[in-house]
Amino acid sequence: LAFRFGSAAWLGSSVDAGSMTTLRYTIVALLRNDSRVQPNSSCGLREAIRLGEAFPGAPVETRAGRQPGGELEAILPSAAASEALDRNESLWANLLVEAFSAEGLRLDSRSFTAYELSATEAAAMLRAARQQSLGGFFLALLPLLLALGVC
């Protein structure tokens, strides 16, 4: 359940281009029918994560620069799709981007317009992810199976 996006450039006037500012990108999934969460604001996403109401992916970190970098990828946890399937609900998926100083202080955060993923789309993505991981598992075992003469 991968989302690809272009990395951002740091435009903050108080930070020079050579600073140690880190940009952290976290893909966050929320159940669509949960009225307690705000999927379209960085504060809402951070609060949902803090309260355990969200499914955050593993953060992807880059050094901030004045120019945008290349393409990045964040993985949406398959637990989010599984939960949506169990409840037959849609998901909101949004990207939380946070800037941190070298000392670990959050300087700023942004989010975007949340992407709605229907239960049907979540099921298809989950099936594809499971097939891909299962295929990779068997591909990794192939040399062992060949060595043992099983194939």
Side-chain angles (χ1 to χ4, degrees):
L1 304 173
F3 285 80
R4 289 192 176 92
F5 50 91
S7 65
W10 175 255
L11 301 176
S13 59
S14 63
V15 180
D16 64 271
S19 75
M20 299 297 286
T21 303
T22 299
L23 294 176
R24 180 183 300 160
Y25 303 86
T26 307
I27 191 80
V28 181
L30 306 150
L31 291 174
R32 172 76 170 83
N33 293 331
D34 190 345
S35 62
R36 298 170 295 172
V37 299
Q38 297 296 321
N40 288 312
S41 76
S42 55
C43 292
L45 293 174
R46 284 198 318 267
E47 184 70 4
I49 291 169
R50 186 183 74 75
L51 295 173
E53 299 295 330
F55 301 91
V60 177
E61 293 187 354
T62 63
R63 289 272 187 237
R66 290 286 184 196
Q67 300 297 317
E71 188 174 86
L72 299 173
E73 181 177 275
I75 308 296
L76 187 70
S78 57
S82 295
E83 184 75 18
L85 288 175
D86 290 347
R87 296 179 181 211
N88 195 29
E89 284 188 37
S90 298
L91 290 173
W92 287 118
N94 203 340
L95 186 65
L96 176 62
V97 183
E98 299 171 290
F100 289 91
S101 70
E103 295 79 27
L105 299 173
R106 183 183 303 110
L107 302 172
D108 201 1
S109 63
R110 294 285 184 263
S111 65
F112 302 90
T113 301
Y115 174 77
E116 186 173 356
L117 194 64
S118 72
T120 304
E121 290 172 305
M125 290 177 75
L126 189 57
R127 271 194 306 278
R130 286 179 178 163
Q131 287 172 350
Q132 185 178 7
S133 65
L134 190 58
F137 173 73
F138 285 119
L139 190 59
L141 283 180
L142 186 60
L144 179 62
L145 295 173
L146 289 174
L148 295 173
V150 174
C151 293

